Amino acid sequence: MRTLIFFIIPLLLIQPGCSSDNQTTEEGLKVIDVAGGVGKSRQVNLSEIADTIEYIPLETNHESLLSHPPYDWILYEKNILYFTQKKGIIKIFDSKGKYVSTFNKLGRGPQEYESLGIIQIDNASENIIIKSINKILEYSRNGEFIRNVILPAPGMVDNLPIRGNFHKLGDYYFFLGGYIYPAIITDSSLNVIKKLK
């Protein structure tokens, strides 16, 4: 029986360019000075930036099998793991690796997403939030549709260009903007509250 191992080390991607100038902030967070390490490469051991490493063997059955994530999106929020899959599917596991459910609302209906664009998990409500082509949809973790917000035009908010990334914090959306406004804050109905230069 195959056991799938979950192990994420995003710092491996920047490992060759890191220097030994690790710093600890007042909040106790460890920070690596990547810019200061240019030209001074060395191997950074995970023990320098992490206290523990946890391997999570994922339950393996017919429903829980995973393919390679199309966008390398693996989300972890409130002890739940979310793995994006091809064809708009999200596989959900708990922090012990037990398979919870499969989420898929791919389609063209008003409560469905045309493509699995940007996904995030609201850390307050644990709702799944997906930005599709021309709308933002919100679902409960068990797949119940909550609401959608239609974008006035793909890549636009209030006639201002936005990039793909956005974040929902409480009742507000934070969009990365274009050249004029790098960030745009809206309410939950996409009414612009603030444009940040």
Side-chain angles (χ1 to χ4, degrees):
M1 181 159 115
R2 291 189 318 174
T3 302
L4 300 174
I5 302 297
F6 171 77
F7 189 68
I8 300 175
I9 307 176
L11 293 172
L12 286 178
L13 299 173
I14 60 172
Q15 182 178 22
C18 296
S19 74
S20 61
D21 297 332
N22 293 348
Q23 302 168 1
T24 304
T25 65
E26 292 178 13
E27 295 84 21
L29 297 175
K30 293 184 180 179
V31 178
I32 298 174
D33 181 13
V34 176
V38 174
K40 306 176 203 170
S41 66
R42 75 167 189 89
Q43 182 174 344
V44 176
N45 295 318
L46 190 56
S47 61
E48 294 179 46
I49 55 173
D51 295 328
T52 61
I53 300 171
E54 183 177 354
Y55 296 89
I56 302 174
L58 300 179
E59 178 182 351
T60 305
N61 59 42
H62 180 69
E63 291 83 22
S64 70
L65 290 177
L66 296 173
S67 65
H68 185 278
Y71 306 109
D72 294 328
W73 288 340
I74 301 172
L75 305 170
Y76 183 77
E77 189 67 50
K78 298 211 175 180
N79 295 320
I80 300 293
L81 291 159
Y82 301 83
F83 292 84
T84 60
Q85 301 287 277
K86 294 177 181 175
K87 299 183 181 176
I89 296 172
I90 302 169
K91 301 274 183 153
I92 303 172
F93 295 80
D94 68 15
S95 62
K96 302 296 183 196
K98 184 175 183 335
Y99 171 73
V100 175
S101 64
T102 296
F103 177 88
N104 185 3
K105 299 293 181 181
L106 186 67
R108 295 189 178 268
Q111 298 182 3
E112 300 170 323
Y113 45 85
E114 294 93 352
S115 66
L116 189 59
I118 296 169
I119 175 176
Q120 66 170 273
I121 308 303
D122 185 331
N123 64 359
S125 65
E126 298 181 39
N127 290 341
I128 299 170
I129 301 166
I130 297 170
K131 181 176 175 288
S132 190
I133 295 170
N134 65 342
K135 57 187 170 184
I136 298 172
L137 300 105
E138 191 167 345
Y139 303 92
S140 69
R141 195 174 76 205
N142 62 6
E144 294 173 14
F145 174 77
I146 296 174
R147 62 188 224 111
N148 67 17
V149 181
I150 305 297
L151 294 169
M156 301 288 282
V157 169
D158 194 35
N159 292 324
L160 297 168
I162 56 170
R163 293 186 213 139
N165 287 339
F166 80 103
H167 294 283
K168 181 174 188 268
L169 297 172
D171 292 329
Y172 301 97
Y173 290 108
F174 293 76
F175 294 94
L176 293 179
Y179 300 108
I180 301 170
Y181 299 104
I184 300 167
I185 303 171
T186 72
D187 63 15
S188 59
S189 298
L190 297 186
N191 298 311
V192 174
I193 294 172
K194 186 111 177 143
K195 302 169 190 172
L196 303 174
K197 287 196 173 180

